[in-house]
Amino acid sequence: MSRRRVLLIGRHFWPHGSIDSAAFLFQLACGLHRRDISVEVCTPRYATSWPEKYWLREIPVHRPAPPPRSDWSIGRYTRHLTQWIRSQGDAYDLVLVDAIREEAIAAIEASRLTGTATMLRYSGWGKQSDSEYWKTTRGARRCGTIGKMADTVIAKSAACNRALLTDRYSAERIVRIQPGFSAGPITSESNRESARRSLATANSDLRTNPDTIVALCNAPMTRDGGIQDLVHATYRMIDRHPNLAVWFIGDGPRRDWIYEHLKADGVRASIAMPGSFVDTDEIYAAADIYFQTDESGLDHFLPTAVSAELPIIAVESESVRSILVGSVVDTSEQDGPSNWVQWIKDPSPTNYVESVSQVLNHLPDYRNRSAKMRRHWLRSRPISATIDAYIDTIERTISRKKGSNRGATDEAAS
């Protein structure tokens, strides 16, 4: 069998490591590349100084068009991307798009001419999912409609599957592939101390004392994000636990507001907002607990926290439970995944403070729970199985597409 040639398309890729979709797409590209798939990536060029093409770990990355910065420029971006895929389409067996949005329109429109197989991945979770995006504008609705023409659509969970079926996607074209968990670096006290020393050297805001407990939140800083609830609770958490430090990782339009709010609360010395990181391994290694404030970051950031054996305080939702609990049924009397997480049903400041106190007052027990969670998911849903599922789906999609193309050719000849 000849080496498969796959083009991955995403709105964000390296160096946007603080964006969950970019981190997942990078992980997927590297996983496919290691399995002898010829992978190339197409992503927007966010600055004119950026090169139009470069190589990342032997993976060619193309940046043919600037990103859309307004509703007016979305059409231009889609047309430019469509033309580029058409000009390059014969070089690929399959085009895989990481969201059913404007990039999906470009891939499917181009495939009408090139005959290349198309695979779309349902992106986002809950209120940030593709199906919610399709409700926002007429152009967004078009993304959902044209997405039905893809050869295969990847659903990440039962909720994603239901959303696609509700929008009348063909059940025969939907394939369920859940996010996987990577082994990650070995968790130990010495590694934690080493990571903290390294980070303190790079950024003085990340300097800690020996008794500091670092709580990590890796989330986009937006107006409607769950990070707002955590910000409002930070003063009370630090007031009760003076040795607590909260690291807010990421960027967004509300970043300045968050900083000024925390500064006004008098907790500037106990928080850090270092911005974005291309590689977050040391950030996770240096932390003691992890906040999951909403349904963002479920493709890569939350699984990374599990792999890093961090005790997790999570705002409860169906999407978050699908990652941390899955289809496992357990009760409070059983030692199962649901009981390895400190859940918050209502993200009020009081509930945040009580949850943090529960974890910090029993930190050795919660570290033991997080170790159990890591072992459980590495055994039952390793990232290697996720990559295998993608490869199997890619092979079946290409074979089915070639079969339908041959059938169309034979019918035309007759």
Side-chain angles (χ1 to χ4, degrees), residues 166-369:
T166 300
D167 276 283
R168 299 184 179 180
Y169 275 69
S170 171
E172 296 178 353
R173 299 188 182 189
I174 300 174
V175 177
R176 179 92 63 87
I177 303 180
Q178 295 176 306
F181 295 80
S182 58
I186 298 175
T187 302
S188 66
E189 191 63 34
S190 61
N191 284 352
R192 183 179 295 110
E193 293 175 359
S194 176
R196 290 188 180 186
R197 286 195 301 270
S198 177
L199 291 170
T201 301
N203 189 325
S204 60
D205 285 349
L206 301 178
R207 185 173 291 115
T208 59
N209 296 320
D211 64 339
T212 300
I213 299 296
V214 174
L216 177 65
C217 176
N218 195 356
M221 299 182 183
T222 58
R223 179 182 295 274
D224 57 349
I227 194 172
Q228 302 283 345
D229 300 313
L230 177 60
V231 169
H232 290 301
T234 298
Y235 167 78
R236 295 177 59 180
M237 292 190 302
I238 293 174
D239 183 57
R240 181 175 295 189
H241 303 280
N243 64 331
L244 180 68
V246 184
W247 291 359
F248 296 89
I249 307 301
D251 286 296
R254 292 284 277 181
R255 187 176 191 276
D256 290 342
W257 178 88
I258 291 173
Y259 177 82
E260 293 299 331
H261 183 93
L262 293 170
K263 182 179 178 182
D265 281 344
V267 295
R268 174 65 186 88
S270 298
I271 64 102
M273 297 178 63
S276 303
F277 285 77
V278 173
D279 187 342
T280 57
D281 284 349
E282 285 191 331
I283 287 289
Y284 281 86
D288 293 289
I289 60 178
Y290 185 83
F291 286 117
Q292 181 62 40
T293 59
D294 55 22
E295 295 175 313
S296 65
L298 302 189
D299 288 334
H300 185 77
F301 295 153
L302 182 58
T304 301
V306 173
S307 299
E309 285 191 14
L310 295 180
I312 295 172
I313 300 174
V315 175
E316 189 168 12
S317 71
E318 180 184 8
S319 298
V320 176
R321 289 187 69 88
S322 71
I323 298 296
L324 297 178
V325 181
S327 59
V328 177
V329 178
D330 59 356
T331 66
S332 58
E333 290 77 28
Q334 296 173 324
D335 187 21
S338 183
N339 302 288
W340 300 333
V341 180
Q342 180 63 36
W343 297 103
I344 298 178
K345 294 185 181 296
D346 174 25
S348 66
T350 298
N351 288 337
Y352 262 108
V353 173
E354 293 304 320
S355 293
V356 167
S357 297
Q358 176 68 17
V359 172
L360 296 187
N361 292 338
H362 306 89
L363 191 55
D365 176 51
Y366 275 88
R367 283 177 172 167
N368 182 51
R369 297 185 192 190

Side-chain angles (χ1 to χ4, degrees), residues 7-313:
L7 175 68
L8 303 183
I9 301 178
R11 186 69 61 90
H12 299 283
F13 193 65
W14 189 93
H16 298 284
S18 65
I19 298 175
D20 187 58
S21 61
F24 173 81
L25 192 62
F26 177 61
Q27 183 184 50
L28 178 61
C30 292
L32 295 176
H33 178 70
R34 286 193 294 267
R35 301 297 183 86
D36 203 33
I37 300 289
S38 178
V39 178
E40 297 187 23
V41 177
C42 178
T43 188
R45 187 172 68 255
Y46 282 83
T48 55
S49 59
W50 288 12
E52 292 191 15
K53 184 177 181 180
Y54 71 100
W55 277 260
L56 179 64
R57 297 189 182 179
E58 301 181 346
I59 299 173
V61 181
H62 306 274
R63 293 165 169 164
R69 301 188 185 279
S70 65
D71 292 341
W72 177 83
S73 62
I74 285 178
R76 182 177 59 184
Y77 166 73
T78 304
R79 288 192 299 272
H80 195 155
L81 185 57
T82 302
Q83 293 169 1
W84 185 87
I85 299 173
R86 282 176 176 168
S87 68
Q88 306 292 324
D90 291 338
Y92 308 108
D93 297 304
L94 180 138
V95 175
L96 195 165
V97 187
D98 76 341
I100 312 179
R101 304 197 180 187
E102 286 72 26
E103 291 79 7
I105 293 178
I108 291 174
E109 291 287 355
S111 70
R112 293 178 176 178
L113 177 64
T114 63
T116 306
T118 55
M119 180 186 298
L120 310 181
R121 182 175 184 268
Y122 185 92
S123 70
W125 303 79
K127 296 179 181 179
Q128 303 166 16
S129 65
D130 282 339
S131 59
E132 292 297 317
Y133 174 72
W134 299 338
K135 301 174 184 177
T136 57
T137 65
R138 181 178 178 181
R141 287 195 296 272
R142 184 167 176 259
C143 295
T145 301
I146 293 183
K148 298 172 186 177
M149 301 170 62
D151 297 297
T152 300
V153 179
I154 303 298
K156 304 177 294 186
S157 68
C160 297
N161 201 335
R162 289 195 301 270
L164 288 169
L165 292 175
T166 300
D167 276 283
R168 299 184 179 180
Y169 275 69
S170 171
E172 296 178 353
R173 299 188 182 189
I174 300 174
V175 177
R176 179 92 63 87
I177 303 180
Q178 295 176 306
F181 295 80
S182 58
I186 298 175
T187 302
S188 66
E189 191 63 34
S190 61
N191 284 352
R192 183 179 295 110
E193 293 175 359
S194 176
R196 290 188 180 186
R197 286 195 301 270
S198 177
L199 291 170
T201 301
N203 189 325
S204 60
D205 285 349
L206 301 178
R207 185 173 291 115
T208 59
N209 296 320
D211 64 339
T212 300
I213 299 296
V214 174
L216 177 65
C217 176
N218 195 356
M221 299 182 183
T222 58
R223 179 182 295 274
D224 57 349
I227 194 172
Q228 302 283 345
D229 300 313
L230 177 60
V231 169
H232 290 301
T234 298
Y235 167 78
R236 295 177 59 180
M237 292 190 302
I238 293 174
D239 183 57
R240 181 175 295 189
H241 303 280
N243 64 331
L244 180 68
V246 184
W247 291 359
F248 296 89
I249 307 301
D251 286 296
R254 292 284 277 181
R255 187 176 191 276
D256 290 342
W257 178 88
I258 291 173
Y259 177 82
E260 293 299 331
H261 183 93
L262 293 170
K263 182 179 178 182
D265 281 344
V267 295
R268 174 65 186 88
S270 298
I271 64 102
M273 297 178 63
S276 303
F277 285 77
V278 173
D279 187 342
T280 57
D281 284 349
E282 285 191 331
I283 287 289
Y284 281 86
D288 293 289
I289 60 178
Y290 185 83
F291 286 117
Q292 181 62 40
T293 59
D294 55 22
E295 295 175 313
S296 65
L298 302 189
D299 288 334
H300 185 77
F301 295 153
L302 182 58
T304 301
V306 173
S307 299
E309 285 191 14
L310 295 180
I312 295 172
I313 300 174

Side-chain angles (χ1 to χ4, degrees), residues 385-412:
T386 298
I387 299 299
D388 287 341
Y390 269 95
I391 293 175
D392 180 65
T393 305
I394 288 170
E395 290 290 346
R396 288 189 283 110
T397 302
I398 293 173
S399 298
R400 187 168 62 246
K401 185 67 172 182
K402 288 183 176 180
S404 62
N405 288 343
R406 282 196 300 268
T409 301
D410 293 343
E411 182 178 345

